[in-house]
Amino acid sequence: MRPDPVCSKTLLLRVGFLRRGESPNISSTEFPAKHHRVVCYYRMNLKMDSIDSSPANQALASHVSGSERTLYPYVTGTSVIGIKYKDGILMAADMGGSYGSTLRYKNVGRIKPIGKHSLLGASGEISDFQEILRYLDELVLNDNMWDDGNSLGPKEVHNYLTRVMYNRRNKFNPLWNSLVLGGVKKGQKYLGMVSMIGVHFEDNHIATGFGNHLARPILRDEWHENISFEDGVKLLEKCMRVLLYRDRSAVNKLQIAKITEAGVFISQPYALKTFWGFSAFENPTKGAEGSW
């Protein structure tokens, strides 16, 4: 199928391969791959499936498609914390989305229900998280189509995610996320995580990002197996408050989610009470040698 002549003419005029008044003939026009401007405008103006079979166009198509990789994340979310409690799983995450070091978005939900029995939280690249959610939507839909009375549990979803992340890592095109997967099925509580390269494990409490360094010590000291819902929420809020003080990417707007045999509940966003009058905050470099 030939490209749209209007788009082709716009492309050729912009990069200087066509004089005004001439008609575009994309199959007979040479497109040197070394001209980066050609690649950029070609991607903007033409669909990949509209390229004809001329050698120049096929070479350009392979050059364009071969460069599609997530080299580094753009819009990212920070820590996710998950714990087991007496009746199920609790999970907490703030709603910030950072564009580099700029806290650009403040209403990004990073905790989502998966099927009937699972809850997924993600830190890292937001667009990659959206791609993972599309994979999981397809997985749950295919499972429901069997209509056999069975449904995917959290362990099955976690195993699927480990394979997806490891597969993409092996293609040198990873999904730039750390995932926390929790759920309850047939009275069994499950909490696991998987990293962007497919490293995975289960535990009674899990934290990603900065939380892995700052929240895990608090969880090790204060978490216990029979912790109630109210105490579990207080513990998560304590961890999120510490992260808010110390993590520049954190925002004081968070959600807490729980999943039990009865189903999933995700709270409305709310803010924590904070205190910034600590002496260490007023003069953080006092007594430090070589600081500004």
Side-chain angles (χ1 to χ4, degrees), residues 80-81 85 89-95 107-122 129 133 180-182 229 233 236 253-260 262-270:
V80 178
I81 304 173
Y85 80 104
I89 303 294
L90 283 171
M91 202 175 292
D94 69 21
M95 303 194 70
N107 198 32
V108 180
R110 296 186 288 118
I111 302 177
K112 302 291 182 182
I114 306 298
K116 298 178 180 178
H117 307 287
S118 304
L119 194 63
L120 179 67
F129 179 44
L133 291 177
V180 178
L181 193 286
F229 172 75
V233 170
L236 288 179
K253 186 179 182 181
L254 70 142
Q255 287 181 304
I256 289 184
K258 73 171 182 177
I259 182 167
T260 64
V264 178
F265 171 77
I266 301 177
S267 74
Q268 292 296 314
Y270 68 98

Side-chain angles (χ1 to χ4, degrees), residues 12-278:
L12 297 174
L13 282 171
R14 281 177 174 171
V15 297
F17 283 104
L18 182 69
R19 296 188 182 91
R20 293 190 180 276
E22 292 182 353
S23 298
N25 184 5
I26 199 167
S27 60
S28 61
T29 306
E30 292 296 327
F31 285 93
K34 65 181 179 180
H35 290 287
H36 180 67
R37 293 180 302 163
V38 178
V39 176
C40 294
Y41 283 117
Y42 203 89
R43 293 190 66 175
M44 288 168 60
N45 290 289
L46 303 177
K47 294 182 178 179
M48 293 300 296
D49 59 2
S50 68
I51 300 174
D52 65 14
S53 58
S54 67
N57 291 337
Q58 291 298 322
L60 181 58
S62 62
H63 177 78
V64 172
S65 61
S67 63
E68 294 178 356
R69 293 289 185 272
T70 303
L71 300 180
Y72 50 88
Y74 280 85
V75 179
T76 59
T78 184
S79 308
V80 178
I81 304 173
I83 64 171
K84 292 180 181 178
Y85 80 104
K86 184 173 64 175
D87 298 321
I89 303 294
L90 283 171
M91 202 175 292
D94 69 21
M95 303 194 70
S98 298
Y99 183 74
S101 59
T102 303
L103 191 56
R104 174 65 181 81
Y105 304 101
K106 298 181 181 179
N107 198 32
V108 180
R110 296 186 288 118
I111 302 177
K112 302 291 182 182
I114 306 298
K116 298 178 180 178
H117 307 287
S118 304
L119 194 63
L120 179 67
S123 58
E125 171 61 48
I126 301 300
S127 64
D128 283 350
F129 179 44
Q130 293 169 336
E131 181 72 8
I132 290 169
L133 291 177
R134 283 193 285 269
Y135 292 162
L136 292 173
D137 284 343
E138 184 177 348
L139 179 73
V140 171
L141 178 62
N142 288 337
D143 181 60
N144 290 339
M145 287 171 62
W146 285 96
D147 195 22
D148 57 359
N150 260 329
S151 56
L152 291 171
K155 186 171 185 178
E156 290 80 21
V157 176
H158 187 223
N159 288 338
Y160 171 80
L161 289 172
T162 63
R163 298 302 89 206
V164 169
M165 303 299 273
Y166 188 66
N167 174 264
R168 290 291 293 264
R169 173 258 191 193
N170 286 343
K171 292 180 178 179
F172 293 90
N173 186 22
L175 294 164
W176 216 284
N177 298 101
S178 293
L179 305 172
V180 178
L181 193 286
V184 181
K185 185 177 181 183
K186 297 181 180 178
Q188 297 295 315
K189 294 175 284 189
Y190 186 92
L191 183 63
M193 74 86 62
V194 55
S195 74
M196 62 179 285
I197 60 173
V199 176
H200 59 282
F201 59 88
E202 302 171 44
D203 208 338
N204 293 319
H205 46 76
I206 285 173
T208 65
F210 242 78
N212 197 35
H213 305 282
L214 299 180
R216 286 302 290 275
I218 300 173
L219 296 172
R220 291 189 188 106
D221 288 342
E222 301 187 21
W223 180 88
H224 57 87
E225 190 173 354
N226 292 317
I227 192 169
S228 66
F229 172 75
E230 292 77 13
D231 291 339
V233 170
K234 289 179 182 178
L235 180 57
L236 288 179
E237 288 181 344
K238 181 177 182 179
C239 293
M240 296 301 291
R241 189 177 289 109
V242 169
L243 291 172
L244 179 63
Y245 288 149
R246 297 296 183 184
D247 185 357
R248 71 172 185 181
S249 299
V251 60
N252 194 9
K253 186 179 182 181
L254 70 142
Q255 287 181 304
I256 289 184
K258 73 171 182 177
I259 182 167
T260 64
E261 286 280 14
V264 178
F265 171 77
I266 301 177
S267 74
Q268 292 296 314
Y270 68 98
L272 297 172
K273 291 182 179 179
T274 58
F275 176 73
W276 297 92
F278 297 109

